[in-house]
Amino acid sequence: MQPLPGFRDFLPDDCAARNYIFARWRDVARRYGFVEWDGPLLEPTDLYRKKSGAEIVDQLFNFIDKGEREVALRPELTPTLARVIAAHEREFKKPLKWFSIGQFFRYEKQQRGRLREHFQLNCDIVGEAALATDIELIALGIDILRAFGFTEKDFVVRISDREFWTELLRSKNVSTDRWDELLQVIDKSEREPRAKTIEKLGNLADPVFAILGEGGKSEKLEQIVDGLHTRGLSDYVDVDVRIVRGLAYYTGVVFEVFDRAGKLRAIAGGGRYDNLIEQLSDGAISMPALGFAMGDVVLGELINETPRARDAMKETIAAEHKIDVYIVIAKEQRRADALAQIQQLRDRGYRVNYPLTAEKVGKQFQTAEDLGASLALLYGDEWPQVKVKNLATRKESLIAHQGLPDSVAKFFNVTASA
Ligand code: HAM
């Protein structure tokens, strides 16, 4: 009776929380001028084998389809985005600012903050190499989290530049086919025992730990911090060379977002991938690009652990889920009359509910309260009048059944302007 390990059922409260997250993701992305797009859930396995790097390939949900194709459920969106851009590049004015919300699948070891399916918001900017773009993207990431009520005390964006590491590998004449593997070792160094990292890095261990010790300084990263300072957002970022990112395609500035307390896994991660589109189009199209993805799992954990954010979510959901009108059918002879008016009220856009079968009047009023209805309309002995009860003030009155939708509309207009 259980879902597969790492998969979730979304009961109504979980769906409400998910929709709350999606609404804020969508709203802030649009505020920044991003437009929504999506790709297929299933892609050729090769797309990830070539582009995402070894770690993700080990985690693929892949199989052979009935047409003998090797396919995989998408573990991430970036390779799909690069494929789509390479195919449709001429149809759009650059730079493109695209966002997408969807579900992704990785066969990971299930642990806190990591499941086998999760939802991501992806935001990507394609066709602009200027550093102003990196700043805009990081500002977007910060503002999305601010929309949940988080402050600089709750989360931090740790920014870095992969070039710190690729320059080191280049200067040590490490062959490029080992870069992916070594970058992953550096990426994991924070979470692994030092001895294990030293063993994996071999003679690169000393220079790597030297860079980690110095903390890394670069003009590029300083400019990013300055750019965020101009927007009043610099308290949200720390320069941190330990951020390397586990995916293979990043080329420049990279960043990850963490809770300030450092208890949770990354909330979001991204960076520049200026060569990916060129590689995917076999050199036909070259275009700089950058983006990030934010997952729903860790974000949900942080919301639940932060009273301000949790209360804001609960209040918003409670308000959004209220119904407008509950119809109390006190006399079954009036059911047909009530249904005719329920139809009219719903046609006007009101959220209306009623008992599907005969029920005691007291129980019906209780249901009206439970559903958060503003008004209860009672169909019974008063007919051809209808008894109206304002459930907030408990005031009752009688209104004619003719023109009832207008009377209801008047009530809501008055309440809305009060
Ligand atoms: P990523 O760091 O692999 O980046 O994933 C982004 C976020 O998705 C993570 O920070 C995390 O919140 C969430 N996430 C990833 N895997 C899981 C999981 N197994 N369970 C729960 N949440 C998870 C990417 O996917 C890049 N494609 C992002 C990007 C977009 N880069 C450029 N554009």
Side-chain angles (χ1 to χ4, degrees), residues 56 75-78 106 108 113-118 120 122-124 245 247 249-250 256 266-271 273 290-295 297-298:
I56 276 214
E76 59 152 338
L77 191 64
T78 315
R106 297 181 190 182
E108 292 211 43
R114 287 291 177 269
L115 303 175
R116 288 183 178 168
E117 54 73 23
H118 68 284
Q120 279 186 357
N122 275 263
C123 296
D124 292 89
R245 304 280 296 134
L247 295 158
Y249 43 71
Y250 293 108
E256 281 183 335
I267 305 163
Y273 48 98
L290 70 167
F292 71 82
M294 183 179 291
V297 179
V298 186

Side-chain angles (χ1 to χ4, degrees), residues 137-200:
L137 187 77
I138 295 168
L140 167 61
I142 295 170
D143 274 339
I144 288 170
L145 289 171
R146 288 179 60 231
F148 290 91
F150 296 124
T151 69
E152 72 281 3
K153 294 193 175 66
D154 302 311
F155 74 92
V156 60
V157 184
R158 295 164 64 193
I159 55 171
S160 174
D161 190 343
R162 254 207 182 180
E163 285 182 2
F164 281 124
W165 302 111
T166 48
E167 264 168 32
L168 172 76
L169 299 177
R170 204 174 291 122
S171 71
K172 299 280 174 198
N173 293 322
V174 179
S175 112
T176 46
D177 36 291
R178 285 199 66 213
W179 285 19
D180 190 18
E181 165 213 332
L182 290 166
L183 290 171
Q184 278 203 38
V185 175
I186 303 168
D187 181 54
K188 285 214 178 81
S189 65
E190 214 182 339
R191 281 169 274 147
E192 283 199 327
R194 196 181 168 107
K196 201 165 174 187
T197 308
I198 292 175
E199 186 193 315
K200 287 186 190 164

Side-chain angles (χ1 to χ4, degrees), residues 258-297:
F258 287 91
D259 60 304
R260 273 279 183 203
K263 284 197 293 185
L264 309 174
R265 300 291 300 260
I267 305 163
R272 254 196 194 276
Y273 48 98
D274 284 347
N275 301 334
L276 185 61
I277 295 168
E278 186 174 359
Q279 287 168 5
L280 256 174
S281 64
D282 287 328
I285 295 155
S286 172
M287 224 181 299
L290 70 167
F292 71 82
M294 183 179 291
D296 69 322
V297 179

Side-chain angles (χ1 to χ4, degrees), residues 133-396:
T133 326
D134 304 59
I135 301 170
E136 174 81 350
L137 187 77
I138 295 168
L140 167 61
I142 295 170
D143 274 339
I144 288 170
L145 289 171
R146 288 179 60 231
F148 290 91
F150 296 124
T151 69
E152 72 281 3
K153 294 193 175 66
D154 302 311
F155 74 92
V156 60
V157 184
R158 295 164 64 193
I159 55 171
S160 174
D161 190 343
R162 254 207 182 180
E163 285 182 2
F164 281 124
W165 302 111
T166 48
E167 264 168 32
L168 172 76
L169 299 177
R170 204 174 291 122
S171 71
K172 299 280 174 198
N173 293 322
V174 179
S175 112
T176 46
D177 36 291
R178 285 199 66 213
W179 285 19
D180 190 18
E181 165 213 332
L182 290 166
L183 290 171
Q184 278 203 38
V185 175
I186 303 168
D187 181 54
K188 285 214 178 81
S189 65
E190 214 182 339
R191 281 169 274 147
E192 283 199 327
R194 196 181 168 107
K196 201 165 174 187
T197 308
I198 292 175
E199 186 193 315
K200 287 186 190 164
L201 289 176
N203 58 5
L204 285 172
D206 283 347
V208 164
F209 280 106
I211 295 180
L212 288 173
E214 285 159 14
K217 275 213 160 25
S218 86
E219 206 178 306
K220 216 199 278 179
L221 295 178
E222 265 169 38
Q223 279 177 26
I224 292 183
V225 176
D226 281 352
L228 291 166
H229 184 71
T230 309
R231 304 173 186 222
L233 298 178
S234 55
D235 289 345
Y236 289 91
V237 290
D238 279 346
V239 171
D240 189 337
V241 277
R242 286 172 297 178
I243 301 300
V244 183
R245 304 280 296 134
L247 295 158
Y249 43 71
Y250 293 108
T251 51
V253 170
V254 283
F255 57 92
E256 281 183 335
V257 185
F258 287 91
D259 60 304
R260 273 279 183 203
K263 284 197 293 185
L264 309 174
R265 300 291 300 260
I267 305 163
R272 254 196 194 276
Y273 48 98
D274 284 347
N275 301 334
L276 185 61
I277 295 168
E278 186 174 359
Q279 287 168 5
L280 256 174
S281 64
D282 287 328
I285 295 155
S286 172
M287 224 181 299
L290 70 167
F292 71 82
M294 183 179 291
D296 69 322
V297 179
V298 186
L299 176 60
E301 286 173 357
L302 190 61
I303 292 173
N304 285 325
E305 287 188 7
T306 315
R308 194 180 334 99
R310 189 182 54 222
D311 293 349
M313 178 171 83
K314 279 196 178 148
E315 276 166 31
T316 308
I317 290 175
E320 278 175 1
H321 284 229
K322 280 188 172 145
I323 64 162
D324 299 313
V325 180
Y326 194 82
I327 305 291
V328 175
I329 302 175
K331 282 268 158 6
E332 278 304 307
Q333 301 93 291
R334 298 273 76 86
R335 183 170 281 273
D337 301 314
L339 280 166
Q341 298 209 309
I342 288 168
Q343 187 67 29
Q344 291 169 2
L345 289 170
R346 285 179 173 164
D347 279 350
R348 290 220 182 180
Y350 294 110
R351 297 177 179 182
V352 185
N353 216 338
Y354 69 98
L356 288 168
T357 56
E359 257 178 26
K360 289 213 170 89
V361 169
K363 202 170 161 210
Q364 294 185 50
F365 272 107
Q366 187 54 51
T367 309
E369 300 277 353
D370 294 346
L371 296 175
S374 304
L375 283 186
L377 302 181
L378 184 135
Y379 291 73
D381 288 340
E382 298 78 5
W383 189 262
Q385 288 186 307
V386 172
K387 197 196 266 183
V388 183
K389 183 170 178 181
N390 178 333
L391 292 174
T393 62
R394 314 253 137 225
K395 260 208 207 137
E396 293 183 354

